Structure formats: C-alpha cells, structure tokens
Amino acid sequence: MSSPLVAIGEVAPPTATVDLKLEVVVIPVADVDRTKRFYERLGWRVDGDFTNGPDWRAVQMTPPGSPCSIHFGKGITAAEPGSVRNLYLTVSDLATARTELIARGADVSEPFHFTSIGGAPLPGLHPDGRSYSSYATFSDPDGNSWLLQEITTRLPGRGFSSLDVATLTALLKDAEHVHGQHAQTAPKHDWSDWYAAYIVARAEGRTAEDAAAAGTRHVDATARGGRP
C-alpha cells in the first residue's frame, strides 16, 4: 500500500549525519588552454591537468582562499561553452578585489547594490556598507560569468567561507573574550580544549552563546575522559 502524500513542512526531515561539502563546479569552455591561462592570470591555483587521449582532458583550478574548485576541459560536460551564469565569489572587500582582478586582466563591472531582496540593482557600493548587498561581475573568455559579492558579516548558521589569518585572529580574540566570561563556571580545564571547541562551533556559524556551551561540554567531557 502506498504512503499518503505529506504536505511540505508537516514532517521534519531527519538530521543529516554525513557532511556534504561542495568540492567542484564544472564550467563548459571551448578552448581549454585559453581558459587555463585566463584563470592563472587571476591567481587561481592549478591543482591538476589530466588527459586521457585526444578527446578527454580535465583541468582543476581553485580561487584563492576557496574550499571549492572548478573543472573544465574536454569530454567532461555537454553544456554549451559559456552557458554558466553568476557563480558566486564572496569577498570581504569588494573595492580591493575588483582592483586586483582588473590589474590581472579581468573585465570587472562597476560595483552595484540592492536596497532590498528582489529589488532593482543600483550603481555603486551599498551606501550603508550592508553585508551581502554589494556586487560586481566579470566573465571568462567563453562568457561563463562570476558574481562578486561582498560579505563582511555572515548570517547566523552560515559559518566562514575560508579560514585565513585575519579570520582566525578574529576568532581567537572572540574566543578569548567569551572564555573570560565562562571560565569561572566551566570545569577546570586546559584553555586550548575550550578554545578549540568554541572556534570550531563559531566557524560552523553557531552563535557565541552556543559555541561557549560547546566549549564547556567539550572540556567537561575531556575531564571525564570521554567525548562530548
């Protein structure tokens, strides 16, 4: 007997137990070597260039600081070259990123912004510097386009797109501040245990309060010789 249809939202989905991390996006191109030279000029890392006869080739490249890479080549996609639109590249400083990309040969548009979700684009950076609201675009030689989006403060639960020195420094300072507030009530512990659990939780996008609770649970479990 078949199960009755259930309206969306009536039953909560099961909690995910396995990470599903976006690793690679395939972009269709006409000239592999031309595309490879273009992204190399932008400073993207060449992770590999693999061939298997005259009809198959795959190049993997990664933007600076990105956990996700791109693939392009021959025989790896049937999509029309240049048909990918507005792949997001997030940056912490749009003006600086735009200047650097132009210096490396990309034809980057003027900045534009939105005053509301779904609103019409307006010229210039967002006047209030609002996170997620300032953009610019550029394309590769085939027309696959990239959308630069300035993110200075992430939405709750979104975590960090990359963990560079500046980001880690900010996390350590944040952990130091919050740890001072919670150290008195936490079990006796090595500060590094609390910091590690706190920073991982913050990097996953959890609030400072939730991250502090994770740090306390971790040091408590460590003190008992177990795991949280």
Side-chain angles (χ1 to χ4, degrees):
M1 182 177 178
S2 62
S3 300
L5 294 175
V6 178
I8 294 175
E10 286 188 3
V11 178
T15 302
T17 58
V18 178
D19 288 343
L20 300 175
K21 299 180 179 179
L22 184 62
E23 186 76 10
V24 173
V25 174
V26 178
I27 62 172
V29 305
D31 187 322
V32 181
D33 289 320
R34 179 182 65 178
T35 302
K36 184 178 179 182
R37 289 192 299 270
F38 173 78
Y39 287 112
E40 281 183 310
R41 286 198 305 270
L42 299 189
W44 295 27
R45 184 181 69 238
V46 179
D47 299 319
D49 188 340
F50 310 98
T51 59
N52 185 10
D55 299 321
W56 193 91
R57 181 180 175 188
V59 178
Q60 177 172 311
M61 301 187 72
T62 304
S66 174
C68 184
S69 306
I70 60 169
H71 276 179
F72 56 88
K74 295 174 62 178
I76 62 173
T77 178
E80 185 70 20
S83 60
V84 171
R85 294 287 183 270
N86 291 340
L87 292 172
Y88 278 67
L89 291 172
T90 62
V91 297
S92 60
D93 185 329
L94 182 62
T96 299
R98 183 174 176 275
T99 298
E100 290 182 357
L101 286 167
I102 291 173
R104 289 177 175 271
D107 184 13
V108 186
S109 74
E110 292 293 329
F112 58 94
H113 68 278
F114 297 93
T115 56
S116 63
I117 296 176
L122 298 173
L125 298 170
H126 192 279
D128 297 330
R130 185 186 301 165
S131 190
Y132 293 95
S133 300
S134 295
Y135 301 84
T137 63
F138 71 93
S139 299
D140 68 14
D142 284 290
N144 298 301
S145 64
W146 297 90
L147 186 66
L148 298 173
Q149 182 184 38
E150 184 177 78
I151 300 178
T152 54
T153 302
R154 287 192 169 271
L155 293 171
R158 290 293 295 133
F160 299 90
S161 59
S162 63
L163 192 60
D164 53 20
V165 172
T167 301
L168 181 55
T169 299
L171 282 170
L172 285 168
K173 290 181 178 179
D174 180 39
E176 180 182 20
H177 172 70
V178 178
H179 181 256
Q181 299 174 345
H182 290 262
Q184 301 301 320
T185 58
K188 185 177 180 181
H189 62 278
D190 189 328
W191 68 268
S192 59
D193 290 327
W194 193 95
Y195 271 43
Y198 180 89
I199 287 174
V200 167
R202 290 291 277 157
E204 291 173 349
R206 295 161 68 181
T207 65
E209 182 178 354
D210 288 344
T216 301
R217 286 195 302 271
H218 179 70
V219 298
D220 182 52
T222 301
R224 298 195 310 268
R227 298 184 63 182

